[in-house]
mmCIF file of all heavy atoms in Angstrom:
data_model
loop_
_atom_site.group_PDB
_atom_site.id
_atom_site.type_symbol
_atom_site.label_atom_id
_atom_site.label_comp_id
_atom_site.label_asym_id
_atom_site.label_seq_id
_atom_site.Cartn_x
_atom_site.Cartn_y
_atom_site.Cartn_z
ATOM 1 N N GLY Q 296 -6.433 -7.224 8.053
ATOM 2 C CA GLY Q 296 -6.627 -5.780 7.945
ATOM 3 C C GLY Q 296 -8.048 -5.371 7.640
ATOM 4 O O GLY Q 296 -8.980 -6.170 7.714
ATOM 5 N N LEU Q 313 9.233 7.598 -2.343
ATOM 6 C CA LEU Q 313 9.988 8.679 -2.980
ATOM 7 C C LEU Q 313 11.153 9.124 -2.094
ATOM 8 O O LEU Q 313 11.765 10.162 -2.337
ATOM 9 C CB LEU Q 313 9.065 9.874 -3.278
ATOM 10 C CG LEU Q 313 9.537 10.822 -4.378
ATOM 11 C CD1 LEU Q 313 9.590 10.132 -5.723
ATOM 12 C CD2 LEU Q 313 8.622 12.048 -4.454
ATOM 13 N N ILE Q 325 -16.586 8.582 1.738
ATOM 14 C CA ILE Q 325 -17.891 8.460 1.095
ATOM 15 C C ILE Q 325 -18.594 7.307 1.795
ATOM 16 O O ILE Q 325 -18.162 6.153 1.710
ATOM 17 C CB ILE Q 325 -17.765 8.157 -0.414
ATOM 18 C CG1 ILE Q 325 -16.899 9.214 -1.109
ATOM 19 C CG2 ILE Q 325 -19.151 8.060 -1.044
ATOM 20 C CD1 ILE Q 325 -17.493 10.599 -1.122
ATOM 21 N N GLY Q 350 3.425 7.077 12.537
ATOM 22 C CA GLY Q 350 3.988 8.368 12.930
ATOM 23 C C GLY Q 350 3.497 9.524 12.084
ATOM 24 O O GLY Q 350 4.221 10.501 11.891
ATOM 25 N N PRO Q 382 19.007 11.949 -0.251
ATOM 26 C CA PRO Q 382 19.838 12.923 -0.974
ATOM 27 C C PRO Q 382 19.450 13.014 -2.445
ATOM 28 O O PRO Q 382 19.362 14.102 -3.005
ATOM 29 C CB PRO Q 382 21.248 12.356 -0.795
ATOM 30 C CG PRO Q 382 21.177 11.490 0.407
ATOM 31 C CD PRO Q 382 19.804 10.919 0.419
ATOM 32 N N PRO Q 385 14.713 8.236 -4.869
ATOM 33 C CA PRO Q 385 14.590 7.099 -5.788
ATOM 34 C C PRO Q 385 13.468 7.344 -6.783
ATOM 35 O O PRO Q 385 12.522 8.076 -6.506
ATOM 36 C CB PRO Q 385 14.273 5.923 -4.856
ATOM 37 C CG PRO Q 385 13.720 6.543 -3.620
ATOM 38 C CD PRO Q 385 14.368 7.883 -3.498
ATOM 39 N N VAL Q 409 -7.674 -11.092 0.284
ATOM 40 C CA VAL Q 409 -8.917 -10.366 -0.016
ATOM 41 C C VAL Q 409 -9.815 -11.209 -0.920
ATOM 42 O O VAL Q 409 -11.021 -11.323 -0.691
ATOM 43 C CB VAL Q 409 -8.612 -9.010 -0.668
ATOM 44 C CG1 VAL Q 409 -9.902 -8.340 -1.141
ATOM 45 C CG2 VAL Q 409 -7.892 -8.104 0.329
ATOM 46 N N GLY Q 415 -15.401 -16.372 0.037
ATOM 47 C CA GLY Q 415 -15.670 -17.385 1.045
ATOM 48 C C GLY Q 415 -14.840 -18.636 0.873
ATOM 49 O O GLY Q 415 -15.257 -19.735 1.252
ATOM 50 N N THR Q 417 -11.524 -21.083 1.540
ATOM 51 C CA THR Q 417 -10.550 -21.429 2.578
ATOM 52 C C THR Q 417 -9.395 -22.163 1.926
ATOM 53 O O THR Q 417 -9.566 -22.894 0.956
ATOM 54 C CB THR Q 417 -11.179 -22.312 3.665
ATOM 55 O OG1 THR Q 417 -11.718 -23.490 3.055
ATOM 56 C CG2 THR Q 417 -12.297 -21.581 4.393
ATOM 57 N N GLU Q 438 19.140 6.323 6.128
ATOM 58 C CA GLU Q 438 19.999 6.690 7.260
ATOM 59 C C GLU Q 438 21.347 5.977 7.170
ATOM 60 O O GLU Q 438 22.347 6.473 7.690
ATOM 61 C CB GLU Q 438 19.289 6.353 8.575
ATOM 62 C CG GLU Q 438 18.118 7.267 8.887
ATOM 63 C CD GLU Q 438 17.388 6.861 10.147
ATOM 64 O OE1 GLU Q 438 17.499 5.677 10.552
ATOM 65 O OE2 GLU Q 438 16.690 7.700 10.724
ATOM 66 N N LYS Q 513 24.300 -4.853 2.246
ATOM 67 C CA LYS Q 513 23.908 -3.994 3.366
ATOM 68 C C LYS Q 513 22.408 -3.734 3.353
ATOM 69 O O LYS Q 513 21.754 -3.691 4.403
ATOM 70 C CB LYS Q 513 24.681 -2.670 3.281
ATOM 71 C CG LYS Q 513 24.443 -1.741 4.462
ATOM 72 C CD LYS Q 513 24.967 -2.347 5.763
ATOM 73 C CE LYS Q 513 24.810 -1.380 6.924
ATOM 74 N NZ LYS Q 513 25.276 -2.000 8.194
ATOM 75 N N GLN Q 525 11.993 -9.339 7.154
ATOM 76 C CA GLN Q 525 12.821 -10.463 7.578
ATOM 77 C C GLN Q 525 12.959 -11.547 6.496
ATOM 78 O O GLN Q 525 13.882 -12.368 6.558
ATOM 79 C CB GLN Q 525 12.266 -11.081 8.857
ATOM 80 C CG GLN Q 525 10.839 -11.588 8.740
ATOM 81 C CD GLN Q 525 10.275 -12.037 10.085
ATOM 82 O OE1 GLN Q 525 10.970 -11.997 11.091
ATOM 83 N NE2 GLN Q 525 9.029 -12.461 10.094
ATOM 84 N N ALA Q 527 13.358 -10.767 3.254
ATOM 85 C CA ALA Q 527 13.905 -10.085 2.082
ATOM 86 C C ALA Q 527 14.904 -10.975 1.351
ATOM 87 O O ALA Q 527 15.626 -11.772 1.963
ATOM 88 C CB ALA Q 527 14.579 -8.786 2.506
ATOM 89 N N CYS Q 528 14.948 -10.818 0.039
ATOM 90 C CA CYS Q 528 15.875 -11.621 -0.760
ATOM 91 C C CYS Q 528 16.097 -10.965 -2.121
ATOM 92 O O CYS Q 528 15.318 -10.114 -2.550
ATOM 93 C CB CYS Q 528 15.353 -13.043 -0.936
ATOM 94 S SG CYS Q 528 13.753 -13.143 -1.740
ATOM 95 N N GLU Q 559 -7.550 -5.737 -15.120
ATOM 96 C CA GLU Q 559 -7.601 -5.941 -13.675
ATOM 97 C C GLU Q 559 -7.780 -7.419 -13.390
ATOM 98 O O GLU Q 559 -8.820 -7.994 -13.719
ATOM 99 C CB GLU Q 559 -8.762 -5.141 -13.085
ATOM 100 C CG GLU Q 559 -8.799 -5.109 -11.575
ATOM 101 C CD GLU Q 559 -7.707 -4.230 -10.967
ATOM 102 O OE1 GLU Q 559 -6.609 -4.761 -10.703
ATOM 103 O OE2 GLU Q 559 -7.950 -3.046 -10.775
#
Side-chain angles (χ1 to χ4, degrees):
L313 203 64
I325 305 294
V409 173
T417 57
E438 289 177 338
K513 185 65 176 178
Q525 59 187 358
C528 59
E559 188 73 270

